[in-house]
Amino acid sequence: MSVRTTPASADHVEHVPHIDSVDYVEDVSPGRGCLPPRAWYASSDAPALSLNGRWRFRLSATADAEDHSFAEPGYDATGWPEITVPGHWVLQGHGAPIYTNHLYPFPVDPPRVPTENPTGDHLHVFDLPADWPADGGAVLRFEGVESCARVWLNGTELGEFKGSRLPHEFAVGRLLRTADNVLAVRVHQWSAGSYLEDQDQWWLPGIFRDVTLLHRPEGAAGDFFVHASYDHTSGAGTLRVDSEVPGRITVPELGVDIAAGEPVTVPVEPWTAETPRLYEGVLATPGERVPLRIGFRTVIVEDGLIKVNGRPVLFKGVNRHEWHPERGRALDTATMREDVLLMKRHNINAVRTSHYPPHPAFLDLCDEYGLWVIDECDLETHGFTEQAWRDNPVDDDRWTPALLDRAARMVERDKNHPSVVVWSLGNEAGTGRGLTAMAEWIRGRDGSRLIHYEGDSDCRDTDVYSRMYAFHDEVEKIGRGLDGGTRKRRRLPFVLCEYAHAMGNGPGGLADYQRLFETYERLQGGFVWEWIDHGIRHPRFGYAYGGDFGEELHDGNFVCDGLVLPDRRPSPGLAEYRKVIEPVRIDGDGGDGTVRVTNRHDFADLSWLAFEWSYQVDGETAGTGQLSVPPLAPGGSAEVKLPPRPADAPAGAETRWTVRAVTAEATAWAPRGHVVAWGQVPVTGRVAPSPAAGARPAVREGRLSLGPASFDARTGALRAVGGVAVSGLRLDVWRAPTDNDNGAPWQPDARYGLLWRELGLHRMRHRLDGVEVGDEALTVRTRVAPAAADIGLRTAYRWTSDGDRVQLTVSVTPEGDWRLPLPRLGIRFGLAAAQEVTWFGGGPGEAYPDSRAASMTGRWRSTVDDLQTPYVRPQENGARADVRWAELGGLRVEGDPAFWFSARRWTNEQLDAAGHLSDLTPGDTVWVNLDHGQMGLGSQSCGPGALPRYHLRAEPAVFSFLFEATG
């Protein structure tokens, strides 16, 4: 039985003659001399030699600047510098990286590329180990080289290839020597293949994945295909392993011992992302033993839904580019494992490998720890949108062999991973015959998985209706089946392959999307864009982004759009996503002494979790304990009785229950006690402060005193509370626009950051209209307005005191035609020597109106510096929600109603002016914002803006703050 169908374009040519021209660089074919693609496996009992390490390197400005004499044995390269392989030469001091989102950084004239084509000659000399077998053959394997490579071994040319994120192998057995083997690789940054690799990413040439020499003994395993399906009605799995070389398959735990190609059906536990059950097996051929990790599962579309093992799945996913802030796309296994563990600990269950197959070891980790995978082909031609897709390679038959080669190299390499449930043809490559050819080839090779491609709007070639950045209202229409489209499309499941653009502060609106996913069965979730900020560590900027390397054409910090910062610190957006997608829902009415627990898993019951309660009085924990929750099946719900309240709360105290679902025992990805989900249930509400006004204002030596506060008698400006100096207290409406505030060019009417600036909200003028001293109050009347506009905010500050505390009531009345929402509305003032902050309200991290699900009410403590979120491009950050009171710098502030709190060592204007974190210099003053309201975030840097209900409208408002010195 044949186990591989290789496209005609990937003919096997073991060795090719020398050629002096560089015509191959602009050849649309995938290359010459490579072996057919095959299944990847991490190890076997056949020897392997890693060729990773330090290589000699020479950089040329053009593809033809040097001849190939460097590939000859005896060539003296001792004067060449060294670089690390895997690696990118532009990140090792040779040239510079380039960032573009979709524009090609060279003229669009396919398949031609510029004469200025940085070309890196790589040399590596190696010896065979002393125990390297003398018999059999050998294969030289490259896991990834960008973008075109020509290879020689010991002076013999092996061939050349394109397809940067795909494996290529050469047969080299007869060329090997026991010592001083010379491996020469010429890598061109630009090639015809670059037209197929216009993904939103840094352009980073080099040998960036592993290079390995594999011994191939006589009778070694060649290609093999593990078919492991699961019948959910009987609980049986059927295993068949098709092997290019005859052999036997053993799975001791299942008592399986069969010949390759022979099926067997046995009772098994199925593989899912929640329960990633793997069975250890072995494929034994006459010359080699290959370990197998077998996961039984079946993926189909049935009743218009994606079902795995008979049950619909809900993708709670992320798009993942491969990235490291120092090594680029050259990742080691430890970094890949760190990604997977972070995902699992944040309740993520799915990954789309945007926009190319990842390092194969990543898929091993997905198998092991449990993640659904959409495996995406190394294909994007996005730049052709600039010419209305004219000359697009995917609709040009000359390029079809290259497209088929890329599809085959993905499928053949990754076909034995149970985590891979969907093949994706690529991303943003328009439409055309080449994509149809890819889909047909994949279906003919592997009918056990679904096919995805977002650009196929009619779903002619695909099994899933996919969109990116559809707004909430459109997603709801799709969920209700009111979206129209072809008959086939209306019957298919819907997935948002990209949504909630996580650029800078955001994304907002995650909870609103999740409510839709959980309401309408057809909506089977989505994948947040994206996992990690692609900042490059830089001695001047901290982290660099597009334009920081002198690029003539770039897309700025659009490359920093991840849920984790470049150093893999989780952002507030990831904390929000974790909460929104948590697999256990905990809510209810604490007043009746019960809490409702709902299992939102697709497959797992709750037996693996323990539940803990705590009872808070004014944010302080007054009691803790265990809560007995039944092991609910997926979709099950139960009302669970809470224990008696631990103690009587003081009159007027705010009380609530907090219930956490934690791991009962350590798992492969988290320790015992790891919090998986939590919920808070209020019991008694807050009583707002209402001090009686008793103290009288008094004027003395140009100062006006009122209780513990002193003011400038002429302007009414607050100077101190008790012994705490206060400066610059006034109404504030400006925030340093977030990336999502600034929005995307295709939504000009809602790019509020730019519109706010155009209106002048960043330079508001404060006119003093009057200072009124009454028997019990000081009232300061002002008008706050932007220059050159006839709109304003009539603002009154009314101060009263009970003798020990001073209360400020702010009244704001808009004047004129305010057509824009406000960035924020509140007061700002400066304090000296503020270091520590304690507050009662939402925490521990930042929150905004449409990104506050992860904000847990309690008492929190932080330094001022730790309140900040270090987004790669500085912008509004660090607000804490629902704050009842906060203490810092010897001052206590209590609000009515609860307020948004932030504090930083620079002004909003300084934050706005900064392009990098290195531009921010802490000052002696801590600037505090107490906000009555904040504008939502949305994700309009590429997706929808904040929903209207999260807009901060310019309308009459009254809010108050009570100040008290604590020193």
Side-chain angles (χ1 to χ4, degrees):
M1 176 184 295
S2 173
V3 299
R4 179 173 60 244
T5 304
T6 305
S9 62
D11 292 338
H12 169 208
V13 180
E14 185 170 350
H15 298 299
V16 296
H18 283 302
I19 56 174
D20 292 321
S21 76
V22 292
D23 291 347
Y24 63 90
V25 173
E26 296 181 336
D27 190 337
V28 298
S29 72
R32 304 170 305 135
C34 296
L35 294 170
R38 63 173 178 88
W40 181 85
Y41 49 91
S43 64
S44 77
D45 63 353
L49 177 64
S50 172
L51 301 181
N52 296 346
R54 300 294 287 174
W55 291 42
R56 294 288 181 179
F57 176 78
R58 176 179 66 188
L59 182 63
S60 302
T62 65
D64 59 356
E66 302 285 349
D67 62 24
H68 60 259
S69 61
F70 80 104
E72 298 295 336
Y75 183 89
D76 184 7
T78 55
W80 293 14
E82 290 186 336
I83 65 170
T84 297
V85 171
H88 306 279
W89 71 68
V90 294
L91 297 182
Q92 300 185 63
H94 304 276
I98 300 169
Y99 168 62
T100 60
N101 168 29
H102 76 278
L103 298 174
Y104 289 105
F106 48 79
V108 181
D109 182 23
R112 305 296 301 278
V113 296
T115 300
E116 297 83 4
N117 188 355
T119 294
D121 290 334
H122 299 68
L123 268 180
H124 187 60
V125 180
F126 64 94
D127 300 337
L128 295 179
D131 58 352
W132 189 268
D135 62 330
V139 165
L140 177 65
R141 182 177 178 90
F142 296 86
E143 296 293 349
V145 183
E146 183 175 331
S147 73
C148 174
R150 186 178 176 187
V151 185
W152 297 262
L153 181 63
N154 291 328
T156 298
E157 183 178 354
L158 304 180
E160 87 278 337
F161 60 85
K162 307 177 188 75
S164 297
R165 269 69 71 174
L166 295 162
H168 295 83
E169 292 183 329
F170 298 95
V172 297
R174 69 178 181 84
L175 299 176
L176 287 173
R177 304 168 180 174
T178 57
D180 296 326
N181 291 279
V182 178
L183 175 58
V185 185
R186 174 163 288 169
V187 180
H188 307 283
Q189 174 156 18
W190 310 122
S191 70
S194 302
Y195 284 99
L196 304 180
E197 297 171 3
D198 189 27
Q199 295 97 338
D200 175 6
Q201 61 183 355
W202 293 95
W203 297 88
L204 299 173
I207 305 171
F208 68 94
R209 287 185 184 163
D210 306 287
V211 183
T212 312
L213 183 69
L214 303 169
H215 180 242
R216 298 286 77 207
E218 189 71 27
D223 190 26
F224 59 91
F225 196 160
V226 177
H227 304 272
S229 61
Y230 178 72
D231 184 342
H232 67 279
T233 62
S234 66
T238 298
L239 174 66
R240 188 185 82 244
V241 179
D242 295 334
S243 177
E244 189 175 49
V245 176
R248 294 197 69 79
I249 291 84
T250 54
V251 188
E253 189 176 355
L254 297 176
V256 168
D257 185 346
I258 56 174
E262 177 183 329
V264 62
T265 300
V266 291
V268 298
E269 298 173 41
W271 188 97
T272 74
E274 295 169 5
T275 56
R277 183 66 161 91
L278 292 172
Y279 291 90
E280 303 293 331
V282 172
L283 166 63
T285 66
E288 187 176 18
R289 292 174 59 83
V290 179
L292 304 177
R293 296 202 305 176
I294 302 165
F296 292 87
R297 56 108 186 94
T298 297
V299 186
I300 60 172
V301 171
E302 182 180 64
D303 303 322
L305 299 173
I306 301 170
K307 293 184 179 180
V308 179
N309 303 335
R311 296 185 63 88
V313 296
L314 184 62
F315 293 127
K316 304 170 183 178
V318 292
N319 286 273
R320 175 187 176 269
H321 269 295
E322 295 184 303
W323 189 250
H324 187 280
E326 295 167 346
R327 302 192 300 270
R329 285 188 286 278
L331 297 190
D332 58 5
T333 302
T335 300
M336 292 182 250
R337 180 175 282 106
E338 184 180 355
D339 279 346
V340 171
L341 293 178
L342 272 173
M343 290 175 189
K344 293 293 290 187
R345 291 169 185 168
H346 286 83
N347 297 326
I348 289 164
N349 73 357
V351 175
R352 176 180 175 228
T353 68
S354 53
H355 298 294
Y356 43 81
H359 191 291
F362 179 77
L363 298 179
D364 271 352
L365 294 168
C366 294
D367 294 341
E368 177 182 348
Y369 292 103
L371 288 168
W372 308 116
V373 174
I374 295 181
D375 197 357
E376 193 148 270
C377 195
D378 189 10
L379 172 62
E380 181 166 338
T381 63
H382 199 172
F384 285 91
T385 57
E386 298 299 307
Q387 52 199 58
W389 297 105
R390 186 180 70 257
D391 299 326
N392 185 10
V394 304
D395 201 29
D396 184 335
D397 291 339
R398 296 176 301 163
W399 295 81
T400 299
L403 302 182
L404 290 173
D405 181 74
R406 288 170 185 251
R409 291 188 182 279
M410 171 182 71
V411 171
E412 301 296 2
R413 192 196 75 169
D414 298 341
K415 59 183 178 281
N416 295 328
H417 291 283
S419 58
V420 176
V421 292
V422 179
W423 301 118
S424 179
L425 303 180
N427 183 69
E428 292 177 317
T431 58
R433 292 161 289 178
L435 291 164
T436 298
M438 292 171 70
E440 290 175 349
W441 185 88
I442 292 173
R443 280 203 175 87
R445 180 67 177 123
D446 176 26
S448 69
R449 294 175 172 92
L450 309 181
I451 293 180
H452 165 274
Y453 177 64
E454 182 269 341
D456 185 6
S457 61
D458 291 335
C459 301
R460 181 183 65 177
D461 300 320
T462 58
D463 303 305
V464 180
Y465 177 30
S466 176
R467 290 282 304 282
M468 55 176 67
Y469 307 110
F471 286 23
H472 296 79
D473 55 354
E474 184 180 4
V475 172
E476 182 166 20
K477 285 183 180 179
I478 293 169
R480 296 172 62 191
L482 302 177
D483 54 303
T486 64
R487 183 170 180 267
K488 178 185 178 183
R489 192 181 85 179
R490 294 196 305 272
R491 296 186 172 189
L492 291 181
F494 177 78
V495 169
L496 275 169
C497 67
E498 293 179 23
Y499 81 112
H501 197 249
M503 185 176 178
N505 189 345
L510 283 169
D512 304 278
Y513 274 116
Q514 195 66 23
R515 278 191 288 270
L516 295 173
F517 297 157
E518 295 177 3
T519 299
Y520 300 101
E521 194 175 39
R522 185 190 183 193
L523 308 179
Q524 295 198 252
F527 297 80
V528 169
W529 185 269
E530 66 157 302
W531 174 241
I532 188 169
D533 284 346
H534 297 197
I536 295 176
R537 201 179 300 278
H538 192 280
R540 175 184 170 191
F541 300 124
Y543 290 108
Y545 49 76
D548 288 338
F549 297 96
E551 305 102 302
E552 293 179 346
L553 185 69
H554 64 85
D555 285 287
N557 69 310
F558 200 70
V559 76
C560 295
D561 47 12
L563 290 171
V564 298
L565 303 176
D567 60 2
R568 284 179 163 74
R569 277 183 291 172
S571 75
L574 182 57
E576 179 76 1
Y577 195 36
R578 169 185 180 172
K579 175 61 180 169
V580 164
I581 62 176
E582 60 189 10
V584 181
R585 187 68 44 77
I586 301 169
D587 54 20
D589 181 359
D592 67 4
T594 65
V595 65
R596 183 183 307 105
V597 178
T598 302
N599 183 359
R600 299 294 309 177
H601 288 90
D602 293 327
F603 298 93
D605 64 25
L606 298 188
S607 60
W608 67 290
L609 296 173
F611 289 79
E612 302 171 347
W613 62 264
S614 59
Y615 185 70
Q616 288 86 33
V617 177
D618 283 340
E620 296 278 19
T621 298
T624 63
Q626 302 296 311
L627 191 66
S628 179
V629 175
L632 298 168
S637 184
E639 297 287 336
V640 179
K641 185 71 174 176
L642 291 163
R645 298 179 197 173
D648 291 333
E654 184 178 358
T655 61
R656 62 179 31 80
W657 296 95
T658 299
V659 176
R660 295 174 174 86
V662 303
T663 51
E665 302 294 340
T667 70
W669 46 268
R672 179 182 180 184
H674 167 77
V675 177
V676 173
W678 58 271
Q680 290 191 297
V681 181
V683 179
T684 59
R686 174 188 183 225
V687 177
S690 55
R696 292 175 173 271
V699 178
R700 183 179 178 184
E701 297 180 354
R703 286 289 178 113
L704 185 153
S705 63
L706 177 60
S710 63
F711 303 82
D712 183 292
R714 183 181 64 84
T715 64
L718 179 67
R719 297 304 185 201
V721 176
V724 179
V726 179
S727 61
L729 189 149
R730 63 184 188 181
L731 190 77
D732 195 12
V733 299
W734 180 247
R735 72 183 189 193
T738 68
D739 293 310
N740 292 309
D741 287 338
N742 286 333
W746 50 89
Q747 300 179 56
D749 294 338
R751 301 185 71 183
Y752 290 120
L754 306 186
L755 295 173
W756 292 332
R757 197 180 303 278
E758 183 179 320
L759 184 58
L761 299 190
H762 61 306
R763 45 177 174 76
M764 299 290 275
R765 300 292 185 261
H766 297 254
R767 187 184 73 205
L768 178 62
D769 286 345
V771 177
E772 302 170 4
V773 180
D775 289 341
E776 295 183 343
L778 165 66
T779 302
V780 180
R781 302 192 183 279
T782 69
R783 188 175 188 271
V784 183
D790 62 352
I791 59 174
L793 299 170
R794 188 74 64 175
T795 306
Y797 307 89
R798 186 174 188 271
W799 296 91
T800 59
S801 175
D802 63 359
D804 297 318
R805 300 170 294 178
V806 62
Q807 184 167 32
L808 167 65
T809 299
V810 183
S811 302
V812 180
T813 304
E815 296 179 338
D817 185 9
W818 283 85
R819 299 183 179 182
L820 297 177
L822 293 171
R824 67 171 358 120
L825 181 67
I827 62 168
R828 175 175 73 175
F829 58 88
L831 294 175
Q835 303 289 337
E836 302 286 333
V837 182
T838 303
W839 74 97
F840 175 27
E846 73 182 27
Y848 289 83
D850 55 352
S851 181
R852 62 191 298 173
S855 183
M856 178 186 286
T857 301
R859 290 203 190 189
W860 307 101
R861 185 182 299 274
S862 173
T863 65
V864 169
D865 292 338
D866 286 345
L867 288 176
Q868 316 309 310
T869 301
Y871 295 113
V872 175
R873 187 192 73 80
Q875 56 199 272
E876 164 64 32
N877 73 91
R880 268 54 179 182
D882 302 315
V883 175
R884 283 75 164 158
W885 56 259
E887 293 182 358
L888 75 164
L891 192 67
R892 177 185 172 100
V893 183
E894 191 167 0
D896 181 18
F899 54 95
W900 304 85
F901 168 82
S902 58
R904 53 181 64 100
R905 299 185 186 279
W906 36 77
T907 65
N908 294 330
E909 290 76 16
Q910 290 168 330
L911 183 63
D912 181 21
H916 296 84
L917 291 171
S918 57
D919 297 330
L920 292 169
T921 302
D924 296 331
T925 300
V926 171
W927 293 97
V928 180
N929 275 94
L930 311 177
D931 292 319
H932 178 62
Q934 276 267 2
M935 174 74 173
L937 299 172
S939 64
Q940 196 172 302
S941 50
C942 194
L947 290 170
R949 61 177 168 274
Y950 303 120
H951 285 198
L952 178 60
R953 304 193 183 282
E955 54 192 15
V958 178
F959 47 94
S960 66
F961 300 102
L962 189 64
F963 296 86
E964 179 181 8
T966 60

